[in-house]
């Protein structure tokens, strides 16, 4: 066999091997999808993220990466886009290689002192909706007074009941919810009396939703 013929034969063999490898890879990918669900983007720390240090643009670009993970293995609250972590602070050190979860991050603390609680009130963290409305206009809502509205589940054929469960409540803090921001469900720290705290903690279990509303001027 001439050199040219051998070269052609080797080239054809390499092409067949590449096609076979591609078919095997596609088959494996289909098998993974069938067994574990579709792939979903998940943010992973490529380097250790220290506690208490806000994630600036350089950290988001250099220390975070996106991987495709079968949905069966994606933990609750996992971020999908590194930009979701921009400006947030790890509450504890996050090791390299770990998934980045919304629950691991908090907004940066301000240097100004927080609102003082009146006697008989205590800080209580509640899962709420409607928090994005508190920041309309760009002002920081922390320190303002808000109303907390509870909507119950429908009772049989009747409609649910909506009522003000706590009025003129001081907002002590506002953090991201499971989706990584305050849109949807957020974590609000409120200065509540004991009866208010008991009502709202119970409402988290039985109510359809707990909504915070900015308190208009009267």
């Amino acid at each position: 066999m001439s050199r040219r013929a051998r070269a052609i034969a080797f080239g054809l063999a390499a092409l067949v091997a590449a096609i076979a490898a591609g078919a095997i890879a596609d088959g494996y990918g289909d098998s993974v999808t069938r067994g574990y669900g579709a792939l979903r983007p998940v943010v992973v720390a490529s380097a250790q993220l220290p506690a208490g240090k806000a994630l600036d643009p350089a950290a988001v670009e250099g220390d975070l990466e996106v991987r495709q993970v079968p949905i069966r293995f994606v933990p609750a609250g996992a971020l999908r886009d590194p930009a979701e972590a921009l400006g947030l602070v790890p509450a504890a050190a996050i090791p390299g290689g770990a998934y980045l979860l919304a629950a691991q991050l908090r907004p940066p603390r301000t240097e100004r002192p927080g609102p003082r609680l009146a006697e008989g009130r205590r800080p209580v963290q509640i899962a709420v909706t409607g928090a994005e409305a508190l920041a309309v206009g760009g002002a920081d809502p922390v320190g303002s007074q808000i109303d907390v509205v509870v909507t119950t589940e429908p009772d049989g054929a009747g409609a649910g009941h909506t009522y003000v469960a706590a009025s003129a409540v001081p907002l002590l803090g506002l953090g991201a919810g499971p989706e990584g921001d305050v849109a949807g469900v957020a974590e609000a720290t409120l200065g509540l009396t004991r009866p208010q705290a008991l009502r709202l903690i119970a409402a988290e279990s039985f109510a359809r939703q707990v909504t915070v509303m900015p308190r208009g001027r009267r």
Side-chain angles (χ1 to χ4, degrees):
M1 182 182 293
S2 66
R3 290 184 179 179
R4 182 178 181 184
R6 285 198 299 270
I8 293 175
F10 282 133
L12 290 174
L15 178 60
V16 170
I19 293 173
I24 292 172
D26 289 342
Y28 177 75
D30 291 341
S31 175
V32 169
T33 299
R34 286 193 301 271
Y36 301 108
L39 298 179
R40 185 189 128 174
V42 177
V43 178
V44 175
S46 56
Q48 178 165 311
L49 306 177
K53 183 178 180 182
L55 297 172
D56 59 17
V60 168
E61 183 176 355
D63 297 336
L64 303 179
E65 62 183 40
V66 176
R67 296 180 186 172
Q68 299 293 327
V69 177
I71 195 167
R72 180 173 176 179
F73 300 120
V74 175
L79 272 58
R80 298 189 180 195
D81 186 341
E84 297 177 48
L86 183 62
L88 299 179
V89 178
I94 300 173
Y99 295 123
L100 197 59
L101 311 180
Q104 297 172 311
L105 305 173
R106 60 169 175 77
R109 292 194 176 99
T110 58
E111 295 300 323
R112 63 181 176 82
R116 299 184 64 179
L117 284 178
E119 185 177 354
R121 292 185 180 269
R122 65 199 70 193
V124 179
Q125 185 170 290
I126 301 290
V128 299
T129 62
E132 62 271 24
L134 301 179
V136 171
D140 184 357
V142 174
S144 65
Q145 290 189 334
I146 62 173
D147 292 335
V148 187
V149 178
V150 171
T151 301
T152 64
E153 294 287 354
D155 183 12
H161 177 52
T162 299
Y163 62 95
V164 178
S167 180
V169 171
L171 177 64
L172 306 179
L174 192 61
E179 299 302 321
D181 56 27
V182 297
V185 177
E187 298 291 339
T189 302
L190 310 174
L192 303 176
T193 63
R194 180 178 175 82
Q196 289 173 335
L198 294 176
R199 280 199 301 270
L200 292 178
I201 291 171
E204 283 191 292
S205 299
F206 72 77
R208 173 179 293 178
Q209 65 182 22
V210 179
T211 306
V212 289
M213 299 174 54
R215 190 171 175 80
R217 295 181 180 178
R218 301 185 185 278

